Amino acid sequence: MKKTSTRLADGRELIYYDLRDDTVRDAVDRRPLERTVTTSEVRRDPLLGDAVAIASHRQGRTYHPPADECPLCPSQGDRLSEIPDSSYDVVVFENRFPSLAGDSGRCEVVCFTSDHNASFASLTEEQARLVLEAWTDRTSELSHLPSVEQVFCFENRGPEIGVTLGHPHGQIYAYPFTTPRTALMLRSLAAHKEATGGENLFDAVLERELAGERVVLESEHWVAFVPYAAHWPYELHLYPKRRVPDLLGLDEDARTEFPKVYLELLRRFDRIFGEGETPTPYISGWHQAPFGQLEEFEGVSRDDFALHLELFTIRRTSGKLKFLAGSESGMSVFVNDVPPERAAERLREVASS
């Protein structure tokens, strides 16, 4: 992998990740852009204890442009985009309309391929491995920023999810705090460790799932399963079998095997609802340990956390979506219409030949 860092016309950082070491990236952003001005602010809810990002500047972000005006495609002739070069393998750049910025963290866009009509599932294993390396490198770099406490690499796929740009891409949020969902995991981890005299909760969950009926795919270094208390109609958790706190901890064997496993899972997701259905909308994201000492979670260290990827769709059956209505949105109590055991069975049924 070759990494080349440059700057866009408004001062934002852009990084090319290339498969070939002899690739030259010297294209200049020719757009007449002014410096990006953001109004991002993080506010704490005094009753719930969680955080909300207030970012009014995002109202003006690009919204469903036609394919020939896509800002994530490479620049061609006089058609100038966010990527100055005429081609690329993988590109990461600072979001022009970030939810988090400055002392409130950082947001980046990850373009998986220059092919506008592709998807992550259509990438080659070599391309998927390059995306993994980009995620890992950005996790490392962002962890050194003084305002960053946790890094979340994720992909929103499909207009049903709210995606406004059709080009295959994901995002990276670098939060200035430990996110509420991770904090819940860490509290459960600490309570289980104390109650069992030191047992790791992630290890216990993985051991139980490996012995049960919800495993969808297992390889030498990875296992994917539908969790016992899945919140979403079709939800998969992907774990490396050797517990590590973040992407930086993966060894070479796990990195090498990841593309084949992950691509297979994504391709199965597109077959859940049968032929003729539009591509399955999904959210996929890496859960990594926060950086720091985790003093508020007594008895727990970063090494107790288990890196894992969570992949789920909001589609519950053909042509129907799972909406977060009263119970889910009002009280955070999910109601799942698809039993996890049935979801796992279906995801095994649609395995590719």
Side-chain angles (χ1 to χ4, degrees):
M1 178 192 79
K2 182 180 180 181
K3 175 184 175 183
T4 307
S5 181
T6 185
R7 292 281 171 181
L8 296 173
D10 56 6
R12 289 175 294 131
E13 185 178 18
L14 180 143
I15 306 152
Y16 294 97
Y17 293 90
D18 286 297
L19 293 168
R20 291 174 56 96
D21 291 336
D22 60 353
T23 303
V24 176
R25 297 295 185 188
D26 56 7
V28 176
D29 186 2
R30 295 180 283 129
R31 296 173 298 171
L33 296 180
E34 296 181 356
R35 284 272 174 176
T36 300
V37 177
T38 63
T39 57
S40 179
E41 174 190 0
V42 174
R43 297 185 182 181
R44 292 276 180 179
D45 185 317
L47 295 180
L48 298 179
D50 60 6
V52 177
I54 309 296
S56 59
H57 62 275
R58 284 175 53 80
Q59 286 281 28
R61 66 188 184 274
T62 308
Y63 187 80
H64 292 297
D68 61 357
E69 296 179 17
C70 175
L72 306 185
C73 288
S75 293
Q76 299 286 343
D78 293 332
R79 192 182 70 78
L80 306 178
S81 73
E82 289 280 67
I83 297 91
D85 216 327
S86 59
S87 66
Y88 64 84
D89 291 335
V90 172
V91 165
V92 177
F93 60 88
E94 288 184 76
N95 198 322
R96 191 177 179 186
F97 304 97
S99 302
L100 307 166
D103 292 339
S104 297
R106 175 157 156 155
C107 292
E108 298 181 340
V109 177
V110 184
C111 298
F112 303 140
T113 171
S114 61
D115 183 355
H116 182 85
N117 297 312
S119 66
F120 202 118
S122 70
L123 299 181
T124 66
E125 291 184 22
E126 184 180 38
Q127 290 173 309
R129 170 65 186 262
L130 185 61
V131 176
L132 175 63
E133 295 307 321
W135 284 331
T136 304
D137 180 71
R138 296 315 300 154
T139 296
S140 176
E141 292 292 326
L142 292 169
S143 72
H144 292 101
L145 297 181
S147 63
V148 172
E149 189 169 320
Q150 187 174 8
V151 177
F152 181 48
C153 307
F154 65 98
E155 179 191 4
N156 296 328
R157 194 265 190 118
E160 300 93 336
I161 298 294
V163 175
T164 57
L165 296 176
H167 197 102
H169 73 288
Q171 299 182 65
I172 301 175
Y173 274 27
Y175 299 99
F177 50 81
T178 297
T179 60
R181 186 175 177 85
T182 302
L184 286 174
M185 293 184 196
L186 291 169
R187 292 189 189 103
S188 296
L189 189 63
H192 185 85
K193 190 173 185 179
E194 180 179 10
T196 60
E199 182 181 68
N200 184 280
L201 179 58
F202 285 109
D203 292 349
V205 167
L206 193 57
E207 181 179 359
R208 181 180 71 177
E209 295 294 355
L210 279 167
E213 60 181 316
R214 290 180 296 274
V215 171
V216 171
L217 189 156
E218 182 180 359
S219 65
E220 183 177 357
H221 302 286
W222 295 88
V223 60
F225 58 87
V226 178
Y228 169 73
H231 289 60
W232 299 94
Y234 290 91
E235 176 179 341
L236 275 174
H237 292 191
L238 176 64
Y239 278 72
K241 289 185 176 178
R242 183 179 69 88
R243 174 165 44 90
V244 296
D246 52 38
L247 288 167
L248 283 73
L250 292 175
D251 60 25
E252 183 59 26
D253 288 338
R255 291 181 183 281
T256 298
E257 195 177 64
F258 168 77
K260 182 177 182 180
V261 172
Y262 186 49
L263 290 172
E264 170 63 18
L265 293 177
L266 292 181
R267 291 161 186 168
R268 291 190 193 191
F269 253 56
D270 273 343
R271 290 192 291 269
I272 294 174
F273 303 104
E275 296 293 333
E277 190 69 64
T278 56
T280 301
Y282 65 74
I283 296 174
S284 177
W286 286 105
H287 291 256
Q288 307 189 81
F291 297 95
Q293 299 302 312
L294 308 182
E295 290 93 346
E296 64 180 293
F297 307 101
E298 188 174 349
V300 171
S301 70
R302 290 192 80 250
D303 289 338
D304 291 317
F305 194 88
L307 166 76
H308 62 284
L309 181 143
E310 297 187 9
L311 167 67
F312 62 88
T313 179
I314 63 171
R315 186 175 289 162
R316 57 186 175 88
T317 190
S318 182
K320 297 179 181 178
L321 301 180
K322 164 66 177 176
F323 292 102
L324 300 189
S327 185
E328 292 90 351
S329 295
M331 295 302 286
S332 294
V333 178
F334 276 67
V335 179
N336 189 353
D337 299 330
V338 181
E341 294 74 21
R342 173 56 191 147
E345 181 182 14
R346 177 60 181 158
L347 286 162
R348 289 191 297 268
E349 289 173 352
V350 296
S352 61
S353 57

